[in-house]
Amino acid sequence: MFKKVQLPLQTTNLIVGFMVWVILSSLLTFIMEDINITPQQASWVTAVPVILGSVLRVPMGYLTNVFGARKLFMISFILLLFPVYYISIANSFMDLIIGGLFIGIGGAVFSVGVTSLPKYYAKEKHGFVNGIYGAGNIGTAITAFAAPVIAGQIGWSLTVQLYMVLLAIFVVANFFLGDKKEEMKVKASLIEQIKGVYRDEKLWLFSLFYFITFGSFVAFTVYLPNFLVNNFGLDSVDAGVRTAGFIALTTFLRPLGGWLADRFKPFVILMYVFGIFTIAALILSFAPSIGLYTVGTLAIAIAGGIGNGVIFKLVPMYFNKQAGIANGIVAAMGGLGGFFPPLMLTTLYSVTGHYAIGFMALSQVALASLILVIWMYFNKRLALSDEILNATPLGMMVTNKKGKIIKINPAFTELTGYSEEEAIGNNPNMLSSDKHTNDFYDNMWDNLNRHGFWQGEIWNKRKNGEFYLEFLTINALRDDAGEVTQYAGVFSDITDKG
């Protein structure tokens, strides 16, 4: 019973955490009526919650595998009660900064569920399950839409205090419904886990991709309400509704991204994601009208939502043994991706009078990510080829067009006695037994040149001088223009059968 309820419970926990995480950005226009802060200070107030919400994701992912999701969610929600109350009685810029820093805990809880939930499902469903959980992002939309409406009726201070009631309810819910017997997998320390993953370039590439996809989601969530009011003259409620629409679209597409990654090639999907990001950010960089701005923003919402789902299919796929720490690092980088853009955009606007340079930078980073995804996709295919080459019991060698050996596999060494150092750069005739006539070899090359293929039995000689009969298949490898670039030979020892 407890296992079945974990996905809905933990997803709802994330909704609550994210509702608290963005409360300042959602209510800032109301807060600024009572607390005198500059536009530059306002950008810091909206950005600061992202700091702790990002940095804490690393230990949160690790601690989930040590203590379990139930305890982590309960402790997080209890701790959030204090900064939420502090914000509700704030009367200065510094109060907002201090309270905002600690409500970052609400964003950090993301690492808890994304580490815990895959334990309950088969690998084939991890993308979709993490996508469903990630849809807890909708909490930001709920706050962006509802908080301004409630604040218009009862004031922003009482609105903030209502969140304390919500947090208390979910402390109780996790106490009774959380899985008390969750499987714990981690024995290594946090430092040992970090050492086990930090040298893997895939971790940092996934971090970059999430920095853009989730970072854009967070950045637009905290930046849109004030931007729409100040740049297009919308009222606070209208800006909140539009922001909620952006959040909802990104959120609901996240499970779709995970589902697509479960069924198709994740890297190919990411190519489309960053292609859309590049074009959408270009549109926004030209400071368009509200209509074109909406088109560009919605395109980013679509690409970001799908991309978020795809990335958290890839992370546990490549870091199964260090899922907690890897999830935490990637998630932290995504959160930090939402910290810098609002500050950068505000600074650029104060200097240049427009946001074009910031959006152009997003476009270029997205384009660089597209190139890196393409590289990873083809590199993965090459890695798979090497894995097959090394695992097969058949001897294999590849020569260049001139007949020099450029690659062998372990089975080649086992069958012939020649090491990789001895074989690479040499000619296959080093294996010649001198048992065949020149006509035999002429016929072999004639077939290769005419048909691109030769197969048959041939006597060769091992390094120790021992003769053996092998069944050999040679294929000519051609480029797109049809020119032969390499020859690949596959053979097996059939001496005893001969």
Side-chain angles (χ1 to χ4, degrees):
M1 181 268 185
F2 284 106
K3 291 184 178 180
K4 291 182 179 179
V5 81
Q6 293 314 299
L7 180 56
L9 174 64
Q10 294 190 32
T11 302
T12 313
N13 286 338
L14 185 62
I15 292 174
V16 173
F18 272 45
M19 285 176 67
V20 174
W21 195 26
V22 297
I23 194 169
L24 278 174
S25 61
S26 301
L27 292 175
L28 192 58
T29 54
F30 292 90
I31 294 172
M32 291 175 70
E33 294 175 1
D34 294 335
I35 302 176
N36 186 27
I37 57 177
T38 67
Q40 189 69 32
Q41 288 175 324
S43 67
W44 276 100
V45 170
T46 58
V48 159
V50 179
I51 297 176
L52 203 60
S54 303
V55 175
L56 276 183
R57 289 182 172 193
V58 179
M60 281 282 204
Y62 170 79
L63 291 172
T64 301
N65 272 335
V66 177
F67 298 109
R70 175 176 175 266
K71 291 181 180 178
L72 264 292
F73 278 121
M74 286 174 57
I75 293 170
S76 298
F77 290 158
I78 291 171
L79 291 175
L80 278 170
L81 290 169
F82 300 98
V84 169
Y85 177 72
Y86 188 76
I87 289 171
S88 75
I89 60 172
N91 56 24
S92 69
F93 167 68
M94 190 52 64
D95 287 340
L96 296 175
I97 290 294
I98 294 171
L101 176 65
F102 288 100
I103 64 168
I105 296 171
V109 299
F110 173 81
S111 291
V112 179
V114 84
T115 301
S116 170
L117 288 172
K119 300 173 185 176
Y120 299 100
Y121 298 90
K123 291 181 179 180
E124 296 76 21
K125 296 182 178 180
H126 284 180
F128 184 63
V129 168
N130 277 339
I132 291 290
Y133 173 73
N137 290 347
I138 196 66
T140 55
I142 295 172
T143 290
F145 172 75
V149 175
I150 298 172
Q153 301 297 317
I154 66 174
W156 67 267
S157 181
L158 285 176
T159 302
V160 172
Q161 290 180 11
L162 288 176
Y163 282 73
M164 298 175 64
V165 177
L166 187 64
L167 288 168
I169 291 171
F170 274 84
V171 170
V172 175
N174 280 278
F175 180 81
F176 288 106
L177 298 177
D179 186 2
K180 300 180 181 67
K181 298 180 180 179
E182 181 177 340
E183 178 186 357
M184 310 304 176
K185 294 182 177 180
V186 173
K187 294 182 180 179
S189 69
L190 177 61
I191 300 300
E192 289 175 326
Q193 289 246 316
I194 292 175
K195 286 181 178 179
V197 299
Y198 82 95
R199 292 182 180 177
D200 193 326
E201 73 277 0
K202 291 188 292 295
L203 176 70
W204 303 111
L205 287 171
F206 293 155
S207 296
L208 170 64
F209 301 155
Y210 201 57
F211 183 91
I212 297 171
T213 59
F214 185 75
S216 296
F217 167 77
V218 176
F220 274 75
T221 297
V222 300
Y223 141 92
L224 274 177
N226 280 326
F227 175 81
L228 293 174
V229 171
N230 297 328
N231 200 62
F232 292 111
L234 304 181
D235 62 60
S236 297
V237 175
D238 189 8
V241 171
R242 290 172 183 265
T243 303
F246 169 86
I247 296 168
L249 182 59
T250 306
T251 299
F252 291 138
L253 286 175
R254 185 165 185 152
L256 175 63
W259 180 83
L260 289 171
D262 283 335
R263 284 155 180 77
F264 304 103
K265 296 176 180 177
F267 287 114
V268 173
I269 301 170
L270 282 182
M271 292 179 200
Y272 287 101
V273 164
F274 289 117
I276 293 172
F277 254 101
T278 302
I279 297 169
L282 273 176
I283 292 173
L284 296 178
S285 70
F286 288 106
S289 63
I290 185 67
L292 279 178
Y293 189 86
T294 300
V295 171
T297 303
L298 291 179
I300 284 179
I302 293 169
I306 293 174
N308 290 338
V310 173
I311 291 166
F312 274 94
K313 165 67 177 182
L314 288 168
V315 174
M317 180 189 300
Y318 285 92
F319 298 95
N320 183 47
K321 294 182 179 179
Q322 306 96 356
I325 196 68
N327 282 328
I329 291 172
V330 174
M333 293 304 294
L336 289 175
F339 172 72
F340 295 104
L343 297 176
M344 181 181 70
L345 287 169
T346 303
T347 302
L348 288 171
Y349 185 79
S350 65
V351 174
T352 66
H354 54 76
Y355 298 96
I357 297 176
F359 288 118
M360 184 62 72
L362 173 60
S363 174
Q364 297 310 299
V365 173
L367 179 60
S369 297
L370 172 61
I371 294 169
L372 287 170
V373 169
I374 294 172
W375 174 80
M376 288 188 76
Y377 174 67
F378 286 102
N379 189 59
K380 179 176 180 290
R381 295 178 67 181
L382 290 173
L384 180 61
S385 299
D386 285 342
E387 187 177 332
I388 294 171
L389 191 70
N390 292 330
T392 180
L394 301 176
M396 300 181 74
M397 68 175 169
V398 180
T399 73
N400 62 19
K401 188 176 180 180
K402 296 181 179 179
K404 297 293 183 181
I405 298 174
I406 59 175
K407 194 172 188 64
I408 65 170
N409 71 339
F412 177 96
T413 299
E414 184 178 344
L415 291 169
T416 68
Y418 288 98
S419 68
E420 186 175 16
E421 291 76 14
E422 294 169 319
I424 300 299
N426 216 323
N427 194 289
N429 62 16
M430 69 181 186
L431 302 173
S432 176
S433 66
D434 296 325
K435 283 194 173 189
H436 300 284
T437 64
N438 289 334
D439 288 340
F440 176 87
Y441 292 106
D442 289 342
N443 180 62
M444 174 192 292
W445 281 103
D446 182 58
N447 272 276
L448 271 171
N449 292 330
R450 285 191 295 114
H451 306 296
F453 173 86
W454 183 86
Q455 187 176 74
E457 296 179 2
I458 182 172
W459 282 97
N460 272 331
K461 184 172 63 175
R462 306 185 208 277
K463 181 182 177 180
N464 62 9
E466 177 182 299
F467 292 104
Y468 69 99
L469 181 65
E470 69 179 40
F471 187 77
L472 173 65
T473 300
I474 306 176
N475 285 284
L477 308 179
R478 302 178 185 272
D479 59 20
D480 292 338
E483 295 292 326
V484 174
T485 57
Q486 296 172 343
Y487 295 96
V490 181
F491 62 92
S492 58
D493 185 348
I494 58 170
T495 306
D496 293 337
K497 298 178 181 178

